[in-house]
């Protein structure tokens, strides 16, 4: 079951520091660029987007700034309050709607299949029923609409431990488990791989599945201080963008992002 919302509320300061750090900025910049591959140049004007477990609006605000209407669903009120504040500060209030709800039990008016895009970013690691959660997430999406999901990549776990903690014994143990823990929210996690999730998406009526890697290099560069240097960060971002869809790098990236279209029939 998902963690209690109080954990996410109480970790707001730490979470915002993470978002503003180079690795947090890369996470959102790369995800936005990958979505733009599928959204830019489409006719029909602003899109209606549903951001499930959207927290404080990290993805939503970027999409609203492009002129789209975004509904953020999250069950942590402190996260939604910050999302509303950020929308107001950015002059995006008219394009952002915040709804406090459990993603696994969406309000009826959100399940009408009228959304052009649905995001399900960094939710799966917190839930027990992955197929059920994905089915619920896909229900509000129009036929032919774009679905985007993101999760921590289990393939990266052992590599991350070996490189950053220089602990080969712990890295070896990580090869045979899908369990982990997030320090930011002090929560248990279940890790997945793109190879496991792609067949589930296809079984739920998705097609044209695309696999991207988020932070293919950043997390394996141990000099975190240097990442704050603007020139170094700019070079790193260009490298990450160049390899987000380039094999083999997405297979060991810290996060994986999958986009897909909901089958028309």
């Amino acid at each position: 079951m998902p963690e209690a919302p109080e954990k996410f509320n109480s970790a707001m300061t730490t979470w915002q520091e993470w978002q503003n750090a180079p690795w947090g900025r890369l996470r959102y910049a790369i995800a936005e660029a990958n979505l733009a591959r599928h959204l830019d140049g489409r006719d029909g004007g602003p899109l209606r987007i549903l951001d499930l477990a959207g927290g404080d609006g990290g993805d939503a605000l970027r999409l609203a700034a492009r002129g789209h209407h975004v509904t953020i669903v999250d069950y942590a009120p402190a996260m939604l309050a910050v999302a509303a504040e950020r929308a107001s500060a950015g002059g995006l209030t008219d394009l952002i709607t915040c709804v406090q709800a459990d993603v696994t039990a969406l309000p009826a008016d959100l399940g009408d299949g009228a959304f052009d895009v649905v995001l399900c970013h960094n939710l799966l690691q917190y839930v027990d029923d992955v197929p059920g959660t994905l089915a619920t997430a896909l229900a509000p999406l129009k036929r032919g609409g774009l679905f985007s999901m993101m999760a921590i990549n289990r393939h990266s776990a052992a590599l991350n431990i070996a490189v950053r903690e220089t602990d080969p014994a712990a890295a070896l143990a990580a090869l045979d488990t899908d369990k982990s823990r997030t320090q930011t929210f002090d929560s248990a996690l279940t890790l997945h791989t793109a190879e496991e999730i792609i067949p589930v998406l296809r079984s739920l009526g998705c097609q044209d599945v695309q696999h991207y890697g988020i932070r293919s290099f950043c997390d394996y560069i141990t000099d975190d201080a240097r990442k704050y240097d603007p020139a170094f960060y700019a070079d790193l971002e260009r490298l990450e963008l160049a390899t987000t869809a380039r094999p083999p790098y997405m297979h060991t990236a810290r996060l994986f992002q999958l986009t897909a279209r909901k089958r028309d029939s």
Side-chain angles (χ1 to χ4, degrees), residues 104-191:
T104 61
L106 292 174
D109 61 333
L110 296 182
D112 56 3
F115 286 93
D116 302 291
V117 181
V118 172
L119 310 183
C120 184
H121 291 174
N122 292 320
L123 172 64
L124 290 194
Q125 54 259 38
Y126 295 104
V127 304
D128 297 324
D129 181 6
V130 169
T133 300
L134 289 174
T136 299
L138 284 162
L141 186 63
K142 287 180 179 178
R143 294 192 179 278
L146 181 71
F147 183 68
S148 174
M149 64 80 51
M150 183 189 300
I152 298 173
N153 179 18
R154 192 170 78 240
H155 289 322
S156 75
L159 184 58
N160 193 59
I161 291 169
V163 170
R164 299 199 65 87
E165 301 177 23
T166 60
D167 189 342
L172 180 63
L175 292 175
D176 295 317
T177 181
D178 62 356
K179 303 304 178 186
S180 185
R181 195 161 191 88
T182 170
Q183 294 181 352
T184 303
F185 298 116
D186 187 26
S187 301
L189 303 174
T190 299
L191 306 185

Side-chain angles (χ1 to χ4, degrees), residues 55 70-74 79-85 87 96-101:
V70 188
T71 299
I72 304 171
V73 174
D74 203 283
M79 288 281 189
L80 292 174
V82 173
E85 291 171 4
I96 296 282
T97 301
C98 295
V99 177
Q100 185 180 350

Side-chain angles (χ1 to χ4, degrees), residues 206-226:
C206 290
Q207 59 188 11
D208 301 329
V209 181
Q210 302 294 319
H211 178 191
Y212 302 102
I214 306 287
R215 301 204 315 262
S216 298
F217 292 90
C218 176
D219 291 51
Y220 309 123
I221 298 172
T222 57
D223 187 351
D224 286 341
R226 194 174 180 194

